[in-house]
Amino acid sequence: QKEVEQNSGPLSVPEGAIASLNCTYSDRGSQSFFWYRQYSGKSPELIMSIYSNGDKEDGRFTAQLNKASQYVSLLIRDSQPSDSATYLCAVKGVRGGGADGLTFGKGTHLIIQP
Amino acid sequence: KAGVTQTPRYLIKTRGQQVTLSCSPISGHRSVSWYQQTPGQGLQFLFEYFSETQRNKGNFPGRFSGRQFSNSRSEMNVSTLELGDSALYLCASSRGLAGPTDTQYFGPGTRLTVL
């Protein structure tokens, strides 16, 4: 059974600092990795996607993937109070040419302290 | 471009009843996936529909079912509701492409409360 593990937190980071969120996954066949942000009472919002080993940067966000270690991370630079939310790591495999459901971690609750 | 829409946004039902939830995907998206989110279990995949066919299914009992129409709109049905079915039900749409780059975008969800 596929598993995605995240530290539930809360992770408290001072405003302006770098927030580092981590995720490990169990299925070596996983090919797509996503970070979603979810504010309390709202639905998940896509932040980043990554498919290849290495780093992918988008504004203040950097996703890092290491398939050998089955590890995905998200760095948030210059953290803002508006970044306070739960961050969900999601993993998808591909089988039979069709799409696969996303497997989610339980999420890390991030708090940016002003 | 309009996002994923879900109706209704809130529902209150009693045990034993059935419920139908609706999802309209982003224009041009042909895949609709359904998820259940609870505080204890987190986000769990229910099933995915593509071109009116169920393409993938998670580990949920047969009380949970769905369908997709020719315009890609999808409905999810839960029969014989149980207290444990109280959750946020999320719909996500994507183009449904084969390969790793297919990306899912979530709707606002339907909050179901079973009394």
Side-chain angles (χ1 to χ4, degrees), chain A residues 3-107:
Chain A
E3 292 184 349
V4 178
E5 301 288 339
Q6 294 181 257
N7 189 321
S8 61
L11 174 64
S12 186
V13 174
E15 183 176 356
I18 296 175
S20 178
L21 306 166
N22 304 314
C23 169
T24 59
Y25 60 96
S26 64
D27 184 5
R28 284 197 172 273
S30 301
Q31 298 195 15
S32 311
F33 307 87
F34 305 87
W35 284 99
Y36 288 86
R37 176 176 65 196
Q38 187 173 27
Y39 292 114
S40 180
K42 301 294 186 181
S43 64
E45 172 192 11
L46 180 69
I47 298 296
M48 293 281 289
S49 60
I50 187 166
Y51 317 110
S52 305
N53 280 327
D55 295 359
K56 179 182 178 182
E57 186 175 319
D58 184 1
R60 295 187 297 112
F61 299 95
T62 299
Q64 300 174 317
L65 174 61
N66 184 326
K67 289 187 178 180
S69 300
Q70 295 175 242
Y71 177 90
V72 193
S73 66
L74 179 70
L75 301 178
I76 307 175
R77 290 181 299 281
D78 188 24
S79 295
Q80 302 297 311
S82 59
D83 295 327
S84 298
T86 296
Y87 288 79
L88 300 165
C89 174
V91 174
K92 186 175 75 168
V94 177
R95 56 185 176 183
D100 204 350
L102 292 173
T103 301
F104 281 86
K106 294 284 181 71

Side-chain angles (χ1 to χ4, degrees), chain B residues 44-56:
Chain B
Q44 294 184 290
F45 172 68
L46 281 155
F47 33 66
E48 183 224 0
Y49 284 86
F50 178 79
S51 290
E52 302 179 62
T53 301
Q54 186 179 89
R55 189 162 64 170
N56 289 290

Side-chain angles (χ1 to χ4, degrees), chain B residues 7-72:
Chain B
T7 58
R9 294 294 309 280
Y10 302 92
L11 266 179
I12 299 176
K13 293 286 188 179
T14 57
R15 278 183 300 173
Q17 287 187 310
Q18 74 163 12
V19 67
T20 299
L21 312 181
S22 180
C23 171
S24 292
I26 293 169
S27 177
H29 284 192
R30 298 170 62 193
S31 169
V32 173
S33 297
W34 289 89
Y35 294 85
Q36 181 196 66
Q37 187 174 32
T38 60
Q41 298 300 317
L43 260 162
Q44 294 184 290
F45 172 68
L46 281 155
F47 33 66
E48 183 224 0
Y49 284 86
F50 178 79
S51 290
E52 302 179 62
T53 301
Q54 186 179 89
R55 189 162 64 170
N56 289 290
K57 188 177 188 302
N59 296 321
F60 277 81
R63 299 186 297 108
F64 293 83
S65 63
R67 59 178 176 168
Q68 187 179 35
F69 302 95
S70 58
N71 62 357
S72 295

Side-chain angles (χ1 to χ4, degrees), chain B residues 80-102:
Chain B
T80 318
L81 284 166
E82 300 177 359
L83 294 178
D85 296 334
S86 294
L88 179 66
Y89 289 89
L90 291 157
C91 160
S93 82
S94 73
R95 295 193 182 280
L97 303 173
T101 62
D102 196 55

